[in-house]
Amino acid sequence: MQVQEFPDNLKPLLLPRPRGHLVYRCLNCRTELPIDDLAYTCPDCGGVLLIEDLAFDRLKEIPGPVWRRLFDHRRMLNLAALRGIFLFHELVAPIIPLEDVVYLGEGHTPLVAANETLSQRLGRPFFFKNDGQNPSASFKDRGMASALSYLNHLLNQGRLDQVLAVCASTGDTSAAAALYSAYLSGRVKSAVLLPQGKVTPQQLSQPLGAGAMVLEIPGVFDDCMKVVERLARDWPVALLNSKNAWRILGQETYAFEIAQAFDWRVEDLAVFLPIGNAGNITAVMAGFIKLLELGLIEVLPRIIGVQSEHADPVFRYYLEAESESRVFRPIQVRPSVAQAAMIGNPVSMPRVIALSERLKELSGRELKVVRVSEQEIIESMLLANRHGHVVCTQGGECLAGLDVAVKAGLLEPGERAVLDSTAHMLKFVDFQTMYFNDSFPPDFEIKVKPELQNAPDLVRPAGVDCPGPGRPLNGEPLERFVDAAAREVAARLGLE
Ligand SMILES: *Cc1c(COP(=O)(O)O)cnc(C)c1O
Ligand SMILES: [Zn+2]
């Protein structure tokens, strides 16, 4: 639809122009840093940063119902820069001009109602939001789109001339970073640091295919993270982990899309997210809070984080009911099928604490975190996929978390759930294979149930010639083979 065909009151708002006054804010000492430098930690106290729009109140001059109409109408505009996360330009990164936006098809992922049988089994209606249907097949693309659009903006302004982008990764950050960097190739180079042997072959193939320099480091993700933090402190590199507050902005759009998909009525929703480095849950809390402040939604949804028993530092933190007595302690992770969330010392923990407090002030309820077993995670994934969903292990973790939350009475009757399937299941297919072959190493603590196993079955009819490699059948022998094979298939299927 062309701009002149939109309602008159929306026309002047449809194409956003650069506005706003963004700064980095230290969550610890509240120091403010100028946005035009790349900053990841507070120079005064070492605290983590979030990006704040000092001119945010200008957005409140537009009433909530107008924002809703604007964002709903903008979806009909065929302008690449506004088709992805920048549909919500004013709420994401309003200082970036549309011509600097990098769009690779991220965002606006499907919200799929759970299969009826599965819903009944869980005791309530729920939905999967399939963030695996992003360009590099995980939600990380949302944050890379904002971070790389900003780098592109700096490059176009001549404030940077070459960028070496680095990240540590449990697999998906590196896939996304390498993809978006490759799109800006010539000006952005990427290097990714992976824990040796701890990412899936599919995840490893992604940065390799995008031409990134891939460096493997002994240890787990938390060790790689320490190395890239040191790199970002001492060398001129752009850090693309969610410690980079630009990533958080793009990931907030997950919350915006949920609100939009429910026609901006989220009061009866519980949103479930797996927690690893805690960037995603930070973004989703921050996103819903923005919507509330601008009157796009009237009530906040419930937010529930999920962690595996093998990587549960956030769960442990919130076990202590009194907020004054809580102490965060990093933990040593154990092998997890929810491998993308296998993190013992989440960088965004101070953000989670701050935003959960804010959630409590605004809605009377803070973030809740539930814990699930490895067994529950893998079986929930298999169960969801057996009911027509495309759910990764972290999506399985959310489904297991919904079960635990319902049984613990954390949800009101009638409340519906939205579960984040954070990546595409094909990235984690080796865990499925290990389940089907019963080949999990013992430290996963997974016992296979035969009824959930599956394997291919060879049909090779006896007494006839069968086609082989370089040995096709023709004529009579082919007829005999087809006949015998069809009879055997029919017999195995129990057909009369
Ligand atoms: C990164 C990732 C997570 C964890 O998200 P955080 O922001 O690190 O908490 C979960 N699932 C998948 C598939 C991921 O790639
Ligand atoms: Zn500080």
Side-chain angles (χ1 to χ4, degrees):
M1 202 162 136
Q2 307 268 316
V3 174
Q4 62 272 18
E5 298 170 89
F6 284 82
D8 282 336
N9 69 327
L10 298 182
K11 276 180 200 163
L13 300 172
L14 267 181
L15 303 177
R17 269 172 300 136
R19 289 274 159 79
H21 183 190
L22 302 192
V23 293
Y24 297 105
R25 170 85 58 207
C26 171
L27 291 191
N28 186 42
C29 73
R30 310 301 299 168
T31 285
E32 200 175 288
L33 302 170
I35 202 70
D36 30 72
D37 278 328
L38 299 174
Y40 313 108
T41 34
C42 172
D44 298 340
C45 77
V48 288
L49 311 171
L50 275 179
I51 293 171
E52 199 175 294
D53 188 347
L54 297 180
F56 188 77
D57 282 350
R58 79 187 180 287
L59 302 175
K60 295 182 181 162
E61 286 163 17
I62 298 174
V66 177
W67 278 121
R68 295 197 281 257
R69 275 171 64 79
L70 175 63
F71 290 141
D72 288 347
H73 276 77
R74 218 180 244 167
R75 298 177 73 180
M76 290 184 274
L77 199 60
N78 289 312
L79 188 68
L82 296 177
R83 290 211 70 80
I85 60 162
F86 283 95
L87 179 90
F88 307 101
H89 183 272
E90 295 86 342
L91 312 191
V92 173
I95 62 168
I96 299 182
L98 296 189
E99 57 271 22
D100 294 339
V101 164
V102 178
Y103 171 64
L104 298 188
E106 62 286 338
H108 307 286
T109 52
L111 182 80
V112 179
N115 156 284
E116 187 70 32
T117 316
L118 196 57
S119 273
Q120 273 164 12
R121 187 169 168 148
L122 271 292
R124 67 185 57 233
F126 69 96
F127 302 81
F128 282 107
K129 187 160 167 67
N130 290 343
D131 252 26
Q133 283 170 246
N134 272 301
S136 82
S138 85
F139 76 82
K140 299 294 199 304
D141 294 326
R142 296 176 181 276
M144 285 309 159
S146 50
L148 271 292
S149 293
Y150 178 60
L151 289 178
N152 193 35
H153 177 53
L154 294 181
L155 287 161
N156 290 345
Q157 284 192 322
R159 284 195 273 156
L160 281 179
D161 85 279
Q162 280 276 325
V163 176
L164 178 59
V166 299
C167 68
S169 178
T170 54
D172 294 330
T173 301
S174 61
L179 180 69
Y180 282 78
S181 300
Y183 192 75
L184 298 179
S185 59
R187 297 186 302 162
V188 179
K189 279 207 179 86
S190 68
V192 305
L193 274 68
L194 303 174
Q196 186 185 17
K198 299 256 167 16
V199 308
T200 72
Q202 295 75 18
Q203 289 171 324
L204 178 60
S205 75
Q206 292 185 287
L208 289 173
M213 178 176 276
V214 177
L215 303 166
E216 297 188 302
I217 304 275
V220 293
F221 169 84
D222 298 291
D223 303 304
C224 291
M225 191 64 217
K226 289 268 177 274
V227 177
V228 294
E229 283 178 326
R230 185 60 52 86
L231 274 171
R233 193 191 74 184
D234 297 346
W235 280 278
V237 294
L239 176 68
L240 287 184
N241 283 95
S242 54
K243 184 162 188 182
N244 177 341
W246 283 95
R247 282 269 315 276
I248 303 296
L249 292 176
Q251 289 173 203
E252 289 176 14
T253 58
Y254 182 82
F256 305 158
E257 289 173 22
I258 290 177
Q260 187 166 39
F262 286 95
D263 291 327
W264 312 100
R265 313 218 34 180
V266 294
E267 58 273 13
D268 66 339
L269 290 186
V271 178
F272 284 74
L273 303 136
I275 306 180
N277 221 7
N280 201 24
I281 198 148
T282 293
V284 171
M285 287 192 285
F288 280 117
I289 290 171
K290 268 187 197 168
L291 295 183
L292 186 77
E293 286 175 338
L294 293 179
L296 276 125
I297 58 173
E298 259 132 51
V299 183
L300 288 169
R302 196 187 294 279
I303 311 284
I304 301 185
V306 191
Q307 293 207 296
S308 158
E309 284 174 358
H310 287 191
D312 60 355
V314 187
F315 170 80
R316 285 168 191 255
Y317 176 84
Y318 282 103
L319 265 184
E320 173 57 61
E322 295 302 319
S323 55
E324 306 79 49
S325 327
R326 289 174 185 154
V327 189
F328 181 73
R329 289 190 193 82
I331 61 134
Q332 206 75 45
V333 294
R334 288 178 285 154
S336 173
V337 293
Q339 184 187 42
M342 203 180 102
I343 295 175
N345 189 11
V347 163
S348 284
M349 194 63 205
R351 293 167 168 165
V352 171
I353 294 168
L355 285 161
S356 172
E357 301 258 295
R358 186 87 185 107
L359 219 55
K360 194 172 173 185
E361 283 166 26
L362 292 169
S363 70
R365 52 197 198 198
E366 55 180 2
L367 167 72
K368 280 264 183 295
V369 183
V370 297
R371 182 169 64 176
V372 296
S373 69
E374 288 295 312
Q375 185 83 29
E376 290 166 323
I377 296 173
I378 190 87
E379 288 180 354
S380 299
M381 177 191 84
L382 294 171
L383 193 69
N385 294 344
R386 283 191 166 204
H387 287 85
H389 296 285
V390 188
V391 167
C392 67
T393 45
Q394 294 69 219
E397 185 174 14
C398 285
L399 180 56
L402 171 60
D403 196 33
V404 167
V406 169
K407 286 176 179 155
L410 295 183
L411 269 59
E412 301 285 333
E415 213 167 296
R416 301 177 291 171
V418 177
L419 313 185
D420 193 348
S421 181
T422 45
H424 202 285
M425 62 86 72
L426 291 177
K427 289 196 188 216
F428 299 91
V429 76
D430 285 17
F431 291 117
Q432 175 180 287
T433 306
M434 281 199 257
Y435 193 95
F436 290 168
N437 296 342
D438 195 3
S439 59
F440 273 111
D443 43 5
F444 279 91
E445 301 181 297
I446 288 173
K447 277 209 200 62
V448 165
K449 295 200 179 95
E451 69 271 23
L452 284 175
Q453 283 178 299
N454 205 357
D457 210 4
L458 182 67
V459 175
R460 196 181 170 83
V464 295
D465 247 1
C466 292
R471 222 173 44 78
L473 297 181
N474 289 301
E476 268 299 296
L478 178 62
E479 281 301 309
R480 277 196 298 277
F481 167 74
V482 170
D483 196 48
R487 264 185 284 118
E488 185 159 339
V489 170
R492 291 204 203 174
L493 297 179
L495 302 175
E496 304 261 318

